[in-house]
Amino acid sequence: MAKIYTRKDSPYWWTRYKGPDGQEVRSSLGVPKERKKREIAQLKASELETEHWKAWKEGKLDKPEYTFEELMVGWIEETKPGAADINNIKALKGVFGGRIINDISGRDIADCKRVWRNENLKNNTIRRRLSTFSSALTYARSEWEWDIENPVKGRLPKEEEFEADHLTYDEAQRFVDALHKRCYQPYNAPHLIDFFILAINTGMRKSEILGCKLSQLDLDNMCIQFKRHQQKSRKRSAVPLNSEAMKAINRRLDYIREKFPETDWLFPNPKTKGIDNIKDVKTAFNNVKREVGCPNIRIHDLRHTFASWLVQRGKTLYEASKALRHSSLKPTERYAHLELDHLRNTHNEIDTVPVNFDQKNNATRIEDSEAKKKWLEALKRKKQVKNSTQSARIQYADFKAVND
């Protein structure tokens, strides 16, 4: 029997039932999710299930026609992906929205890549978007047993390696000096200095800083706690706060106690009186970076700066990877070139081994008469063997010519 249910992201009733092939079918009923229309939705769900079975008996049904929206809504509901995947889905919907999954071919994926490249998107961005699509397709095939193909498989663009940009100590100081001036300018993003200091000293992402709630602060242990749904890696973690980060946090708390004592956010939005958080600092950051002469620095480069400084000051790539909360060491390898000074100190340890690599004053030289005599004798024996072998080959050739 068809069951009906509602989704948070849909204004309609949905139905779930098993089709003739044993696969679970999910579909929107197009009936507004109002309590008084529950019976109408149930009748429509039963009618839909009946028509499905009737079409199968009459041989009119080959494969269920799942749409892109059905796939993504179900995948989001069950896997609870992070904000990065949600943004990827929004981009994918602009290309595949309304399409039947089995109608999407490898050629469509190639066309999609071509369109995005024409929009000057990098291979890594395209790869992340298509990887989200592929993950949803694989999940549907394995968990829901959908009879669908995965046209993305084997068609992901090659991952590009790049050298992360980061601030030098002098550039960072210019940023700090310029941002401190803004602290006394209420309409000139005075919160940007605290954002900058937290980014540089913790390596947190922009969304993690601006989306941080006061409930995540653990001041006793000097850290910020993150739950699974708040992390790109989908794992619980905590970010330690050093002394500079704690100063920024305390400034934020003083500001909140004075202006918005009822807010839940570390960076409350003054325009909504603290009900919402500040969503972005891009405009103010762009103004400052031009002011201090660093026009190519992006907000995410503050995270790269945190990691780069760690490596430059002798921390290993493994330690930097853990500090960045990377799920593997591979993304951290972009900072490997910064380990030169640390590696130089490591290589210098070989200088202390108890082996004298200098030439001794009484060392025997190859030009010494005895050594030269032995070398000439060996060379003579080698020449004799070579001549003997060549003579044997000539004699055998003559013998064979006579007999032929």
Side-chain angles (χ1 to χ4, degrees):
M1 177 180 176
K3 296 181 179 180
I4 60 173
Y5 62 99
T6 59
R7 296 180 184 270
K8 292 181 180 179
D9 55 349
S10 174
Y12 305 112
W13 285 95
W14 282 65
T15 183
R16 180 194 295 119
Y17 62 89
K18 281 203 171 184
D21 53 358
Q23 296 182 15
E24 188 176 67
V25 178
R26 302 173 182 219
S27 179
S28 171
L29 295 170
V31 178
K33 58 177 182 183
E34 301 172 7
R35 185 177 293 275
K36 62 183 180 181
K37 294 187 178 181
R38 182 184 180 91
E39 291 184 5
I40 297 175
Q42 185 62 66
L43 287 172
K44 189 165 184 179
S46 299
E47 181 181 355
L48 186 65
E49 183 183 26
T50 301
E51 290 176 354
H52 194 161
W53 279 85
K54 183 179 179 180
W56 175 74
K57 288 180 180 179
E58 295 176 353
K60 297 179 180 179
L61 186 64
D62 292 325
K63 290 184 178 180
E65 294 186 339
Y66 305 112
T67 64
F68 175 83
E69 285 75 11
E70 287 177 300
L71 170 68
M72 289 305 176
V73 168
W75 186 65
I76 291 172
E77 183 183 62
E78 296 193 8
T79 64
K80 304 293 189 297
D85 283 319
I86 297 299
N87 290 332
N88 290 338
I89 291 170
K90 291 178 181 178
L92 288 163
K93 186 177 180 181
V95 180
F96 301 113
R99 295 282 302 274
I100 302 298
I101 295 297
N102 275 328
D103 290 345
I104 300 175
S105 64
R107 181 59 182 268
D108 294 316
I109 300 300
D111 291 340
C112 173
K113 291 189 288 187
R114 189 180 305 108
V115 168
W116 283 338
R117 285 189 180 118
N118 290 338
E119 295 175 2
N120 296 322
L121 293 181
K122 295 182 179 179
N123 269 3
N124 288 354
T125 303
I126 298 173
R127 183 184 177 88
R128 285 194 294 270
R129 290 180 177 181
L130 292 178
S131 292
T132 297
F133 193 14
S134 181
S135 296
L137 291 167
T138 302
Y139 186 89
R141 284 163 56 91
S142 62
E143 296 295 324
W144 307 333
E145 297 183 348
W146 282 12
D147 185 14
I148 55 176
E149 299 297 325
N150 184 352
V152 181
K153 188 175 181 180
R155 295 184 174 91
L156 290 175
K158 186 177 180 181
E159 188 172 6
E160 296 175 340
E161 295 183 1
F162 67 95
E163 184 176 316
D165 288 332
H166 67 278
L167 293 172
T168 64
Y169 299 137
D170 179 63
E171 290 170 339
Q173 188 62 61
R174 296 205 302 269
F175 261 99
V176 170
D177 293 342
L179 291 171
H180 271 304
K181 295 178 182 177
R182 289 172 171 252
C183 291
Y184 307 100
Q185 302 171 4
Y187 300 101
N188 206 4
H191 54 271
L192 193 56
I193 180 62
D194 294 330
F195 172 88
F196 182 88
I197 291 175
L198 284 174
I200 287 284
N201 286 274
T202 66
M204 292 168 60
R205 301 174 178 90
K206 178 181 71 174
S207 60
E208 294 170 342
I209 297 175
L210 296 179
C212 180
K213 292 188 174 182
L214 298 179
S215 58
Q216 294 176 240
L217 300 179
D218 186 349
L219 299 182
D220 292 335
N221 294 311
M222 295 178 62
C223 68
I224 297 178
Q225 302 283 351
F226 287 98
K227 296 181 180 179
R228 290 183 66 255
H229 70 276
Q230 297 170 320
Q231 289 284 276
K232 186 177 180 180
S233 62
R234 316 300 295 159
K235 296 179 182 178
R236 289 181 62 92
S237 66
V239 176
L241 299 171
N242 60 19
S243 59
E244 291 297 332
M246 283 299 298
K247 290 178 185 177
I249 292 291
N250 288 328
R251 280 196 297 270
R252 288 277 89 206
L253 295 178
D254 291 341
Y255 170 79
I256 289 168
R257 279 192 288 268
E258 180 183 351
K259 300 290 185 179
F260 309 109
E262 302 298 324
T263 189
D264 295 329
W265 305 97
L266 183 60
F267 284 83
N269 191 338
K271 294 180 180 179
T272 62
K273 296 183 179 180
I275 296 176
D276 295 322
N277 62 312
I278 295 172
K279 302 299 182 183
D280 207 346
V281 292
K282 186 176 180 179
T283 301
F285 185 83
N286 287 344
N287 290 336
V288 176
K289 74 179 186 179
R290 287 191 291 268
E291 179 184 331
V292 300
C294 300
N296 296 324
I297 290 294
R298 306 165 304 157
I299 292 177
H300 196 70
D301 290 331
L302 302 181
R303 178 172 165 86
H304 294 322
T305 299
F306 166 77
S308 299
W309 287 1
L310 285 181
V311 176
Q312 287 175 336
R313 299 181 76 84
K315 299 303 179 183
T316 65
L317 289 181
Y318 176 79
E319 290 172 314
S321 177
K322 289 299 181 182
L324 291 169
R325 291 162 288 132
H326 284 160
S327 56
S328 69
L329 194 60
K330 186 175 181 181
T332 321
E333 290 177 351
R334 67 187 63 163
Y335 308 105
H337 67 286
L338 300 171
E339 282 191 306
L340 180 59
D341 291 335
H342 180 56
L343 290 175
R344 182 177 288 111
N345 294 331
T346 302
H347 285 209
N348 288 342
E349 291 296 319
I350 302 299
D351 287 344
T352 63
V353 300
V355 177
N356 187 357
F357 295 101
D358 295 330
Q359 185 179 20
K360 295 180 181 179
N361 294 332
N362 60 348
T364 304
R365 299 168 61 96
I366 192 62
E367 290 83 6
D368 288 349
S369 59
E370 189 64 29
K372 187 174 182 180
K373 182 179 179 182
K374 291 182 179 180
W375 175 69
L376 290 173
E377 289 177 355
L379 189 62
K380 185 178 180 180
R381 286 195 299 271
K382 186 176 180 181
K383 188 174 181 180
Q384 289 174 348
V385 172
K386 183 178 179 180
N387 291 338
S388 177
T389 303
Q390 187 174 5
S391 176
R393 287 177 179 169
I394 293 173
Q395 291 177 9
Y396 175 75
D398 294 340
F399 172 77
K400 190 175 181 182
V402 171
N403 285 281
D404 289 344

